[in-house]
Amino acid sequence: MIRIATETAADGWEIEYLLDTAFAPGRTALSSYRLREGVVPVAPLCLTARDDDEMAALAGCIRFWPVKTGSAPDPALLLGPVATHPTRQGEGIGATLILAALERAQESGWRACILIGDAPYYRRFGFTKSDTLTFPPPTNPNRILARALVPGGLDGVTGLVSRWTGS
Ligand SMILES: CC(C)(COP(=O)(O)OP(=O)(O)OC[C@H]1O[C@@H](n2cnc3c(N)ncnc32)[C@H](O)[C@@H]1OP(=O)(O)O)[C@@H](O)C(=O)NCCC(=O)NCCS
């Protein structure tokens, strides 16, 4: 049984260790990290996954940041990083984290979610390639995926994804 919880400060070092383990070296050089610098994450959507045992090690995690999408006045969500420990992949932990976080995002009224990732994995969660959004280079345009969280949440959303500066 997997227990999903909101990330706390005490999870910090374990999350960094898990991300270093799950991703290739140099992950922080990815353009998506530039969009997160100096921006506060969306804390209620940052989740951890552990076995339902008080002492269980971290099995997976997911974080979200707000981002500016073109000239849209309100922010969209940037999904990621999301990671499952290599020894726990394929058990549905990634899907559980993504679905739990997107449900919370919808309950909170977020209009849209975007990410850089593999369409074959994310399409099961309703993400499709965006033909209207661009990311800072170097980003493969085929990996820019988006999903509305409310009806029409991506209507007219076009242009460069950039750091959310509050306006
Ligand atoms: C991507 C990741 C989070 C998925 O976590 P997970 O807990 O293994 O995911 P789930 O158990 O929910 O789903 C596993 C399924 O997704 C598939 N899958 C995983 N990564 C995939 C990818 N990049 N493209 C296509 N399918 C993928 C698996 O083959 C498996 O398929 P199956 O259900 O048909 O057997 C995990 O593989 C991971 O941490 N990868 C390294 C970090 C990373 O790349 N994060 C995403 C960055 S965009």
Side-chain angles (χ1 to χ4, degrees):
M1 178 75 174
I2 284 289
R3 178 166 45 92
I4 301 296
T6 308
E7 177 187 330
T8 70
D11 295 313
W13 70 267
E14 242 187 322
I15 289 174
E16 291 307 315
Y17 182 74
L18 173 56
L19 295 177
D20 284 344
T21 306
F23 283 90
R27 64 182 168 90
T28 57
L30 297 171
S31 59
S32 51
Y33 274 82
R34 303 291 78 73
L35 299 174
R36 300 176 181 126
E37 280 171 354
V39 183
V40 178
V42 183
L45 304 184
C46 296
L47 307 178
T48 59
R50 297 176 189 273
D51 287 325
D52 198 8
D53 162 356
E54 214 171 289
M55 302 298 287
L58 189 66
C61 63
I62 190 167
R63 283 173 165 166
F64 289 80
W65 268 260
V67 280
K68 190 167 170 56
T69 47
S71 58
D74 54 335
L77 285 171
L78 177 67
L79 186 160
V82 55
T84 298
H85 192 280
T87 61
R88 303 297 305 271
Q89 291 177 8
E91 296 179 27
I93 293 171
T96 301
L97 284 165
I98 291 168
L99 291 171
L102 291 178
E103 188 178 321
R104 287 189 184 198
Q106 286 181 305
E107 287 169 0
S108 307
W110 286 89
R111 63 178 170 81
C113 185
I114 58 178
L115 63 89
I116 301 295
D118 293 335
Y121 182 63
Y122 289 102
R123 72 165 62 104
R124 71 195 72 182
F125 309 111
F127 288 89
T128 56
K129 177 180 174 298
S130 173
D131 293 322
T132 60
L133 291 170
T134 57
F135 257 71
T139 303
N140 177 347
N142 291 321
R143 290 171 55 79
I144 303 174
L145 310 179
R147 190 206 131 148
L149 297 174
V150 298
L154 281 168
D155 289 358
V157 174
T158 176
L160 180 69
V161 177
S162 57
R163 282 173 67 241
W164 177 251
T165 55
S167 59

